[in-house]
Amino acid sequence: MNFEISTYGDSGSDTLLIQMVDDHDLEVIEKEAALIRELSGGQNFCLKAVKVKSWSHDLSPWPAPAVFGNEGFGDGAAQTLLFLQDEVLSNLPKNSASAISRVYIGGYSLAGLFALWAGYQTDCFDGIAAASPSIWFPGFLEYMRNNRIRTEAVYLSLGDREEKTKNPLMSQVGNAIRDAETILKKEGKECILEWNKGNHFKQPDLRTAKAFAWLMNR
């Protein structure tokens, strides 16, 4: 498995941000990077944007039926995380002059769900930036109840109109993310749930930037 990796920001920074992206994300990624810098008070960071080949397969923790159209969800998340560990995290500088001190993983929509799931698989992430995550994903909330996340800080957000949809599965996203916040806080994690104006498709670059900046500003 091989993904395309693009680097933004300061490649020598000790703060690494990892974001799974598609073509639409890449169209606004430079704007997002500028927003992260602005919202973090001018902090330096290195953003690794990792482009997936199949959004609904590469970012899904387990198979699930299609929500729109005919394409269902696969179970490629484990292989995607393995790629990140082998090709991104294992190649980080180890010497004291340029060593990475903070690693955050995040993303928007299904990439946000993947980031959350990844936080349950490994302790190598210092925080999770889940902007408008697809937390309605079948079985995921139950997975959160039965497992413990292995990071100390989680940012969650949702648009205030995202749960106002006729799709019966996706209409549960509001209740699901409220429950997720409760679960994480009961575990003693530093967690925030921020509500944004608009539906799922409004300002994903700004919402993701706010997520990463919150982690960096802690």
Side-chain angles (χ1 to χ4, degrees), residues 72-212:
F73 297 93
D75 59 353
Q79 286 297 316
T80 300
L81 179 58
L82 185 62
F83 171 85
L84 293 180
Q85 292 172 317
D86 289 346
E87 301 298 328
V88 179
L89 297 172
S90 66
N91 294 325
L92 298 180
K94 300 297 192 298
N95 64 75
S96 59
S98 58
I100 297 293
S101 63
R102 301 185 296 175
V103 180
Y104 301 127
I105 186 170
Y108 196 82
S109 193
L110 193 58
L113 183 87
F114 170 80
L116 265 179
W117 173 85
Y120 285 87
Q121 313 309 309
T122 175
D123 60 3
C124 64
F125 301 115
D126 297 294
I128 308 296
S132 289
S134 304
I135 205 160
W136 48 261
F137 195 88
F140 194 80
L141 202 61
E142 192 64 24
Y143 180 83
M144 290 183 67
R145 292 191 182 101
N146 294 327
N147 295 275
R148 188 175 180 88
I149 201 164
R150 300 170 67 183
T151 188
E152 292 306 312
V154 181
Y155 174 101
L156 302 171
S157 72
L158 203 68
D160 59 8
R161 296 194 60 80
E162 291 196 50
E163 59 188 329
K164 297 178 173 63
T165 173
K166 294 180 180 179
N167 185 289
L169 179 60
M170 298 183 72
S171 67
Q172 297 302 309
V173 68
N175 290 331
I177 206 161
R178 294 181 187 96
D179 288 347
E181 179 194 24
T182 299
I183 291 168
L184 293 169
K185 285 187 173 180
K186 282 184 177 179
E187 291 181 6
K189 305 301 181 181
E190 186 177 355
C191 178
I192 185 175
L193 171 56
E194 183 170 2
W195 292 88
N196 296 298
K197 295 290 185 182
N199 62 23
H200 185 68
F201 302 100
K202 186 175 182 180
Q203 296 180 306
D205 50 347
L206 174 59
R207 293 184 188 182
T208 309
K210 287 164 69 176
F212 279 124

Side-chain angles (χ1 to χ4, degrees), residues 24-36:
H24 177 71
D25 295 313
L26 288 174
E27 290 174 1
V28 294
I29 197 74
E30 291 187 2
K31 180 182 176 184
E32 180 189 314
L35 286 166
I36 294 171

Side-chain angles (χ1 to χ4, degrees), residues 6-19:
S6 302
T7 303
Y8 302 87
D10 180 5
S11 60
S13 173
D14 66 348
T15 299
L16 175 64
L17 313 179
I18 299 174
Q19 180 179 346

